């Protein structure tokens, strides 16, 4: 749809003649941009995974079925704040400047939501922001956001009028606010852009009461590298995000002190539980009591306990996903009932992927597959053919230009990504990217993942950790999909290593990333060997 003058100039108080109803053809699409936090691709059934089979997401799958599923969707920096800033601006971390959590995003910076608002869209954001105290000054029409990371139960919600506690479960509250806003919109001549940004399934993985027992009896397949020893991968060895070593037994795994007791084991941040109402807490305790008592009565050895923790982690994490999927269902049902389905682009994604026990981990940050990948499904009935599968590599820098494109707005110079529209139309430009660039910064920080940058090029991946660890890693995903064998020094792959080094150097130049050490001119194998002999 192209932008019509009438649509853009329609403003409150304008004369009736100036307000013209755009024909279906002229009408610009609504946009609903749903983003969860830390949702692994492997935990979505549309991706055809075993976890998805055991813990299906039927509503997220509806979007994929109605439209497109991106098989190769990646982030640029696997961390909340940087990823969100990237989605808003269409830029890599080093360009928008928000490289690590805890920084303050400059709300006055250009973002696509304000741009759509300026061109006549009604805009709103509900849920997690986590870029700054609030989106004040970011040009978003209406908003109500979770304070900081957001709490699962009775969260603090910040609005232009200040902060207050809202009783209930975060995912449901955010959904209610979003649907209320949609239903109360008075000006239905203007298109809308609505951002629904859930806290779930982020740590500390607290499901709604209704989902606490959903997966207690499910036996999730343990990743083959759950007991990884990290040989040849010094940064992986130095991390602090191991389920059986670093997850807190109370706070994260909801384990109790002893049989008959509901007192949690180590709970580093007690406020997540302390803020529950008595009723919520009683229902919570009752739902997990038998399972916790059984664990406390059993005399598990170290290995058995590590495996038990994996199951508990999955039960909790996927329990929070169940409410997110409910939410997506409610939004889709609303669109259907209101007749807006065909006029609306619906996107579901996450701010990054997550480890579900691979390498023994929870959390994200690393450029390994599970956290580099992020789910992405998108529907626009009548425009994106149902059941489309996109293989072209896409990144979260592409979202802003995509929304601009569909809104009929020019894609500004500062944007480093590209519109996905030709890609979902089945006509990716001949010069569509083959390689993706990644750069993670936050160190020192939670989980002690060293800064690194890298390139993924088809089946190959090259990454460089820097700072107090200086190490290169190279993987052939075709033969080593779990990234267990760092072959950077393997003489058999030096040609490829050189090729990827060159590509990495090129990407850093193209995207103007001067952060971190420069990629040195690729060494020839002979000189590398000579150097090694010294
Ligand atoms: C919190 C979490 C960490 C997580 C960061 C970043 N701890 O600090 O485990 O890595 O957020 O997550 S918590 O127990 O307090 O939740 S991010 O999604 O915001 O980047
Ligand atoms: Ca996140």
């Amino acid at each position: 749809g192209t932008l019509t003058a009438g649509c853009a100039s329609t403003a409150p108080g304008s004369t009736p003649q100036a307000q013209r109803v755009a024909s279906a053809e002229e009408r610009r699409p609504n946009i609903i941009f749903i983003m969860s936090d830390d949702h692994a691709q492997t935990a979505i059934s549309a991706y055809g995974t075993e976890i998805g089979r055991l813990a299906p997401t039927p509503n997220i799958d509806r979007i994929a079925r109605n439209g497109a599923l991106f098989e190769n969707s990646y982030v640029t920096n696997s961390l909340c704040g940087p990823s969100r800033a990237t989605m808003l601006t269409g830029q890599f971390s080093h360009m928008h400047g928000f490289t690590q959590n805890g920084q303050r995003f400059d709300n006055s910076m250009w973002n696509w939501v304000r741009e759509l608002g300026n061109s006549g869209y009604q805009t709103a954001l509900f849920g997690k922001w986590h870029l700054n105290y609030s989106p004040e000054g970011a040009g978003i029409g209406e908003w109500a956001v979770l304070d900081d990371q957001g709490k699962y139960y009775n969260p603090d919600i910040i609005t232009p009028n200040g902060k207050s506690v809202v009783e209930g479960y975060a995912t449901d509250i955010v959904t209610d606010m979003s649907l209320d806003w949609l239903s109360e919109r008075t000006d239905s001549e203007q298109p809308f852009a609505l951002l629904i940004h859930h806290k779930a399934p982020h740590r500390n993985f607290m499901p709604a009461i209704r989902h606490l027992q959903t997966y207690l009896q499910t036996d999730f397949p343990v990743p083959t590298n759950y007991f990884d020893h990290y040989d040849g991968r010094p940064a992986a060895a130095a991390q602090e995000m191991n389920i059986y070593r670093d997850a807190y037994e109370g706070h994260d795994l909801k384990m109790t002190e002893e049989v008959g007791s509901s007192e949690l084991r180590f709970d580093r941040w007690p406020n997540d539980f302390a803020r529950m109402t008595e009723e919520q807490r009683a229902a919570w305790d009752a739902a997990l009591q038998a399972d916790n008592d059984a664990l406390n009565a059993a005399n598990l050895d170290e290995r058995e306990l590590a495996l038990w923790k994996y199951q508990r982690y999955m039960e909790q994490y996927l329990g929070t996903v169940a409410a997110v999927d409910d939410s997506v269902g409610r939004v889709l049902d609303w669109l259907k009932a209101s007749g807006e389905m065909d006029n609306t682009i619906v996107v579901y994604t996450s701010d990054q992927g997550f480890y579900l026990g691979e390498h023994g981990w929870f959390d994200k940050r690393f450029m390994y597959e599970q956290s580099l990948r992020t789910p992405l499904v998108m529907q626009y009935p009548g425009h994106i053919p149902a059941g489309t599968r996109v293989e072209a590599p896409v990144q979260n820098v592409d979202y802003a230009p995509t929304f601009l494109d569909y809104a009929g707005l020019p894609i500004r110079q500062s944007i480093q990504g590209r519109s996905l529209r030709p890609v979902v139309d089945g006509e990716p430009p001949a010069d569509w990217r083959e390689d993706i660039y990644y750069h993670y910064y936050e160190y020192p920080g939670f989980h002690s993942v060293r800064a690194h940058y890298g390139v993924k090029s088809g089946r190959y991946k090259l990454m460089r950790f820097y700072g107090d660890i200086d190490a290169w890693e190279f993987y052939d995903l075709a033969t080593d999909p779990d990234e267990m064998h760092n072959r950077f020094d393997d003489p058999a792959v030096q040609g490829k290593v050189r090729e990827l080094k060159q590509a990495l150097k090129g990407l850093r130049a193209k995207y103007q990333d001067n952060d971190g050490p420069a990629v040195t001119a690729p060494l020839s194998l002979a000189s590398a060997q000579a150097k090694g002999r010294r």
Side-chain angles (χ1 to χ4, degrees), residues 36-38 79-80 84 128 202 350-352 364:
S36 56
D37 193 346
D38 294 0
L79 194 66
C80 178
R84 284 157 206 268
K128 186 163 168 176
H202 188 271
S350 169
D351 62 345
Q352 7 74 202
K364 54 267 180 175

Side-chain angles (χ1 to χ4, degrees), residues 71 73 143 145 175 181-182 191 215 276 303-304 320 323 328 337 356 383 439 463 465 468 504 521 528-529:
E71 310 257 17
S73 151
W143 50 266
V145 297
T175 312
W181 183 80
L182 283 172
Y215 299 115
M276 294 171 97
R303 187 184 164 85
E304 291 165 338
T320 72
V328 172
L356 298 180
H383 297 260
H439 197 160
M463 40 213 253
F465 293 88
D468 59 3
L504 182 58
Q529 282 170 341

Side-chain angles (χ1 to χ4, degrees), residues 329-452:
R330 289 177 63 196
V331 171
L332 294 177
D333 290 347
W334 185 92
L335 283 173
K336 210 169 174 185
S338 68
E340 292 286 350
M341 192 76 126
D342 288 350
N343 301 324
T344 305
I345 295 171
V346 183
V347 171
Y348 181 87
T349 188
S350 169
D351 62 345
Q352 7 74 202
F354 214 65
Y355 294 95
L356 298 180
E358 300 89 355
H359 306 284
W361 297 340
F362 62 105
D363 218 67
K364 54 267 180 175
R365 299 161 191 271
F366 281 106
M367 198 196 165
Y368 302 122
E369 290 293 287
Q370 292 79 11
S371 49
L372 173 63
R373 290 178 172 275
T374 200
L376 182 63
V377 291
M378 176 174 163
Q379 72 171 52
Y380 186 12
H383 297 260
I384 303 174
T388 299
R389 309 285 285 206
V390 176
E391 275 180 34
V394 305
Q395 289 195 277
N396 52 358
V397 275
D398 299 329
Y399 301 178
T402 302
F403 297 140
L404 290 175
D405 193 357
Y406 277 114
L409 295 168
I411 294 168
R412 49 184 270 131
Q413 273 288 302
S414 67
I415 289 180
Q416 297 180 296
R418 299 178 71 172
S419 170
L420 298 174
R421 192 174 176 175
V423 177
V424 290
D425 286 348
E427 291 159 10
D431 62 347
W432 190 261
R433 74 171 73 80
E434 283 171 18
D435 302 341
I436 59 143
Y437 179 63
Y438 182 86
H439 197 160
Y440 170 82
Y441 295 77
E442 192 180 285
Y443 181 81
F446 277 105
H447 305 298
S448 294
V449 175
R450 266 57 181 186
H452 57 292

Side-chain angles (χ1 to χ4, degrees), residues 287-347:
L288 293 184
Q289 193 71 49
D291 212 53
N292 276 328
D293 283 352
L295 182 267
N296 284 323
N299 198 9
L300 302 188
D301 65 26
E302 212 180 314
R303 187 184 164 85
E304 291 165 338
L305 184 60
L307 292 168
W308 184 92
K309 286 182 174 180
Y310 170 73
Q311 297 297 336
R312 173 53 72 85
Y313 167 64
M314 295 296 277
E315 292 156 13
Q316 299 270 305
Y317 178 94
L318 294 164
T320 72
V321 168
V324 173
D325 193 68
D326 288 349
S327 169
V328 172
R330 289 177 63 196
V331 171
L332 294 177
D333 290 347
W334 185 92
L335 283 173
K336 210 169 174 185
S338 68
E340 292 286 350
M341 192 76 126
D342 288 350
N343 301 324
T344 305
I345 295 171
V346 183
V347 171

Side-chain angles (χ1 to χ4, degrees), residues 70-391:
F70 293 79
E71 310 257 17
N72 295 299
S73 151
Y74 304 103
V75 293
T76 49
N77 179 358
S78 188
L79 194 66
C80 178
S83 174
R84 284 157 206 268
T86 288
M87 293 188 198
L88 284 168
T89 61
Q91 297 181 314
F92 283 83
S93 312
H94 61 279
M95 295 302 260
H96 58 61
F98 196 106
T99 56
Q100 318 186 12
N101 282 342
Q103 294 174 339
R104 281 180 80 81
F105 180 71
D106 175 2
N107 283 348
S108 72
M109 208 176 308
W110 181 91
N111 73 63
W112 68 267
V113 189
R114 184 199 283 110
E115 186 81 14
L116 263 63
N118 288 343
S119 84
Y121 270 76
Q122 287 194 319
T123 63
L125 160 75
F126 300 103
K128 186 163 168 176
W129 172 250
H130 200 225
L131 283 171
N132 205 325
Y133 180 72
S134 81
E136 186 84 60
I140 297 168
E142 214 167 304
W143 50 266
V145 297
L146 298 163
D147 187 15
D148 193 37
Q149 287 284 5
K151 297 291 180 192
Y152 278 104
Y153 282 86
N154 313 329
D156 288 306
I157 304 254
I158 301 165
T159 71
N161 302 321
K163 180 158 88 173
S164 57
V165 174
V166 177
E167 194 176 316
Y169 184 68
T171 307
D172 300 337
I173 293 169
V174 167
T175 312
D176 291 342
M177 291 190 306
S178 303
L179 295 181
D180 285 350
W181 183 80
L182 283 172
S183 305
E184 285 159 17
R185 246 168 34 97
T186 45
D187 187 350
S188 52
E189 297 312 320
Q190 283 179 285
F192 64 80
L194 169 63
L195 287 71
I196 307 176
H197 289 184
H198 293 295
K199 185 238 168 31
H202 188 271
R203 195 180 184 187
N204 67 332
F205 326 113
M206 291 176 79
I209 302 292
R210 67 181 183 281
H211 293 131
L212 265 177
Q213 297 186 322
T214 303
Y215 299 115
L216 287 190
Q217 307 308 324
T218 309
D219 200 17
F220 292 99
V222 182
T224 50
N225 57 3
Y226 187 56
F227 294 105
D228 193 349
H229 294 296
Y230 316 115
D231 298 333
R233 290 158 290 151
Q239 99 331 116
E240 294 171 9
M241 47 192 256
N242 192 292
I243 292 171
Y244 42 94
R245 185 192 62 199
D246 303 312
Y248 300 126
E249 293 192 335
H251 177 73
D252 294 312
L253 299 169
K254 328 306 184 313
M255 297 163 70
T256 52
E257 288 286 3
E258 55 188 359
V259 176
S261 163
S262 57
E263 198 181 318
L264 291 168
R265 294 194 191 184
F266 185 61
D267 184 11
R268 177 154 174 201
W269 294 286
N271 189 249
D272 291 291
F273 279 94
R275 61 190 303 116
M276 294 171 97
T277 65
E278 261 175 55
E279 291 81 0
Q280 288 166 344
R281 185 62 201 263
W284 177 286
D285 290 344
L288 293 184
Q289 193 71 49
D291 212 53
N292 276 328
D293 283 352
L295 182 267
N296 284 323
N299 198 9
L300 302 188
D301 65 26
E302 212 180 314
R303 187 184 164 85
E304 291 165 338
L305 184 60
L307 292 168
W308 184 92
K309 286 182 174 180
Y310 170 73
Q311 297 297 336
R312 173 53 72 85
Y313 167 64
M314 295 296 277
E315 292 156 13
Q316 299 270 305
Y317 178 94
L318 294 164
T320 72
V321 168
V324 173
D325 193 68
D326 288 349
S327 169
V328 172
R330 289 177 63 196
V331 171
L332 294 177
D333 290 347
W334 185 92
L335 283 173
K336 210 169 174 185
S338 68
E340 292 286 350
M341 192 76 126
D342 288 350
N343 301 324
T344 305
I345 295 171
V346 183
V347 171
Y348 181 87
T349 188
S350 169
D351 62 345
Q352 7 74 202
F354 214 65
Y355 294 95
L356 298 180
E358 300 89 355
H359 306 284
W361 297 340
F362 62 105
D363 218 67
K364 54 267 180 175
R365 299 161 191 271
F366 281 106
M367 198 196 165
Y368 302 122
E369 290 293 287
Q370 292 79 11
S371 49
L372 173 63
R373 290 178 172 275
T374 200
L376 182 63
V377 291
M378 176 174 163
Q379 72 171 52
Y380 186 12
H383 297 260
I384 303 174
T388 299
R389 309 285 285 206
V390 176
E391 275 180 34

